[in-house]
């Protein structure tokens, strides 16, 4: 059974800190890993990482895929209160049908 | 539509009643997914549609759960004889991709179901 594990489950940081969120996975026929941000209701897409694109960056957020270690990290530098959210990691598991297997998420709270 | 639309946004029902949750995906998206998110849990896959067909129903937790999609567009998730453990947020997502790779999913805001 495909498995995605995220750590830490939650953390609280001060505005301006840098945080690193972790995601490890056990899936067959890995194709891609995706990061989503869920502030209130609908998760919104951040990054997709594949074998041909193992590092992505957008502003203060960046993510790296380590296929050897079967893991990924999401870095947020100079955190702001608006970064407070649940960050979800998902891995694509193609087979008879394509679907994403999600981890339980990391709840990040950024305080003033 | 501009985004994935779900209704109702909130539903409170009594144990044993049937409920229907609706999802209207982004126009032209062929793939549609239902996920469930319980308090403190990650997203749990329920069912996947490609067009009107459901090639993967492996996540439906029991035979009380069913879903259909018509016209390659709107989908309805039906839960019969609801139980308290069915309480969760039911998220719908769509993707423009066909067979092979879902890529990025576009999520609706979910339907929060509370079973008393």
């Amino acid at each position: 059974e495909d498995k995605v594990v995220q750590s830490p489950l939650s953390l609280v940081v001060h505005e301006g800190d840098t945080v690193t969120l972790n995601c490890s996975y056990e899936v067959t026929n890995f194709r891609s890993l995706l990061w989503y941000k869920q502030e209130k209701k609908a998760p919104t897409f951040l990054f997709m990482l594949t074998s041909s694109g193992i590092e992505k960056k957008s502003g203060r957020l960046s993510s790296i895929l380590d296929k050897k270690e079967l893991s990924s990290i999401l870095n947020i530098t100079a955190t702001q209160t608006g970064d407070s959210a649940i960050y979800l990691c998902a891995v694509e598991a193609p087979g008879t049908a394509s679907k994403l297997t999600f981890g339980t998420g990391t709840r990040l709270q950024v305080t003033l | 539509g501009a985004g994935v639309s779900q209704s109702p946004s909130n539903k409170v029902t009594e144990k044993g009643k049937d409920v229907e949750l609706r999802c209207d995906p982004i126009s032209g998206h062929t793939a549609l997914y239902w996920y469930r998110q319980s308090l403190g849990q990650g997203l749990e896959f329920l069912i996947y549609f490609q067009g009107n067909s459901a090639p993967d129903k492996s996540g439906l937790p029991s035979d009380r759960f069913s879903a259909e999609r018509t016209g390659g567009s709107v989908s309805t998730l039906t839960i019969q004889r609801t139980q308290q453990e069915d309480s969760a947020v039911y998220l719908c997502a769509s993707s423009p991709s066909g067979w092979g790779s879902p890529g990025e999913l576009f999520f609706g805001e979910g339907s929060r179901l509370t079973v008393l």
Side-chain angles (χ1 to χ4, degrees):
Chain A
E1 184 178 327
D2 299 331
K3 190 176 179 182
V4 179
V5 178
Q6 292 186 246
S7 64
L9 291 180
S10 66
L11 75 162
V12 180
V13 300
H14 290 109
E15 201 171 42
D17 288 351
T18 294
V19 298
T20 299
L21 311 182
N22 301 285
C23 175
S24 63
Y25 59 89
E26 294 176 23
V27 298
T28 54
N29 301 318
F30 171 87
R31 183 173 295 173
S32 65
L33 183 147
L34 294 86
W35 286 96
Y36 284 83
K37 178 182 181 182
Q38 186 177 27
E39 291 182 76
K40 289 184 180 178
K41 294 183 178 180
T44 55
F45 173 78
L46 293 175
F47 298 117
M48 182 166 71
L49 302 162
T50 67
S51 299
S52 59
I54 61 172
E55 188 167 354
K56 293 287 177 70
K57 182 175 171 64
S58 176
R60 297 177 295 102
L61 277 67
S62 62
S63 184
I64 298 173
L65 175 68
D66 188 335
K67 283 203 70 179
K68 184 177 178 183
E69 297 296 327
L70 306 184
S71 65
S72 174
I73 60 170
L74 176 68
N75 278 319
I76 308 174
T77 60
T79 52
Q80 303 171 356
T81 55
D83 296 326
S84 297
I86 297 173
Y87 290 84
L88 297 164
C89 173
V91 177
E92 184 181 344
T96 55
S98 297
K99 63 177 185 267
L100 297 182
T101 300
F102 283 83
T104 54
T106 293
R107 181 181 294 274
L108 172 65
Q109 184 179 352
V110 181
T111 63
L112 293 172
Chain B
V4 177
S5 177
Q6 291 189 246
S7 62
S9 55
N10 279 288
K11 175 73 176 178
V12 180
T13 190
E14 293 179 347
K15 178 181 172 181
K17 300 284 190 182
D18 298 351
V19 296
E20 283 190 354
L21 308 177
R22 175 189 167 103
C23 173
D24 198 344
I26 294 172
S27 178
H29 281 196
T30 58
L32 185 148
Y33 302 79
W34 283 98
Y35 283 84
R36 176 169 73 173
Q37 187 174 33
S38 302
L39 189 63
Q41 301 296 314
L43 274 66
E44 174 190 5
F45 170 79
L46 298 178
I47 188 170
Y48 156 66
F49 285 93
Q50 181 61 243
N52 292 336
S53 301
D56 191 344
K57 306 178 184 179
S58 62
L60 294 178
S62 76
D63 59 8
R64 296 186 295 104
F65 287 72
S66 62
E68 65 174 11
R69 189 179 184 193
T70 55
S73 181
V74 173
S75 176
T76 302
L77 176 69
T78 301
I79 309 173
Q80 295 179 310
R81 305 181 302 282
T82 51
Q83 303 294 313
Q84 288 184 331
E85 61 262 28
D86 300 334
S87 296
V89 175
Y90 289 81
L91 289 163
C92 175
S94 68
S95 168
S97 300
W99 289 101
S101 176
E104 176 187 350
L105 298 186
F106 295 81
F107 283 88
E109 298 216 324
S111 292
R112 179 177 296 278
L113 174 66
T114 303
V115 182
L116 301 177

